[in-house]
Amino acid sequence: QNMCYRNLAVVGKDKEICEKIVDQLGTNYKENCLYRVQIESGLQDCTAFADQQERDLCYLQLARVKKDRTYCDQISGPSYKDPCVSQFK
């Protein structure tokens, strides 16, 4: 069900649909949904995110969606940078 909401939100570029997602312990479907909608709506960089972890996750999502490794260079923490870089190997 969460994936369905995420897909609808991304296709419709509607963040409100993301709010229907209920994350289980240890999942971040809602956060992922919000980032994906922002990216699909034209977000090009993540400097608007004040929290470093949120900014790093945003750059990881941008790299995945846009298939562009250069976004990985903007990530400061290894917990997001390593998976970002490894997806392009």
Side-chain angles (χ1 to χ4, degrees):
Q1 185 175 10
N2 285 340
M3 294 300 289
C4 182
Y5 283 138
R6 190 198 76 175
N7 292 340
L8 284 171
V10 171
V11 169
K13 299 178 185 172
D14 185 352
K15 291 190 298 187
E16 296 301 314
I17 296 173
C18 297
E19 296 302 324
K20 296 177 187 254
I21 295 173
V22 178
D23 280 330
Q24 303 298 321
L25 184 63
T27 64
N28 62 347
Y29 294 121
K30 184 184 286 188
E31 189 173 86
N32 179 275
C33 179
L34 291 168
Y35 287 122
R36 293 288 304 269
V37 169
Q38 287 180 306
I39 291 166
E40 293 297 322
S41 297
L43 178 74
Q44 294 297 317
D45 93 22
C46 303
T47 55
F49 293 97
D51 180 76
Q52 184 64 52
Q53 186 172 355
E54 287 182 12
R55 196 166 42 250
D56 285 352
L57 181 58
C58 176
Y59 281 121
L60 172 64
Q61 295 297 332
L62 269 174
R64 284 184 181 156
V65 170
K66 300 201 180 275
K67 296 176 176 55
D68 185 348
R69 188 198 181 284
T70 60
Y71 288 107
C72 300
D73 297 335
Q74 303 298 317
I75 299 173
S76 64
S79 61
Y80 291 114
K81 188 170 205 145
D82 294 345
C84 187
V85 171
S86 68
Q87 70 183 327
F88 293 102
K89 292 182 177 178

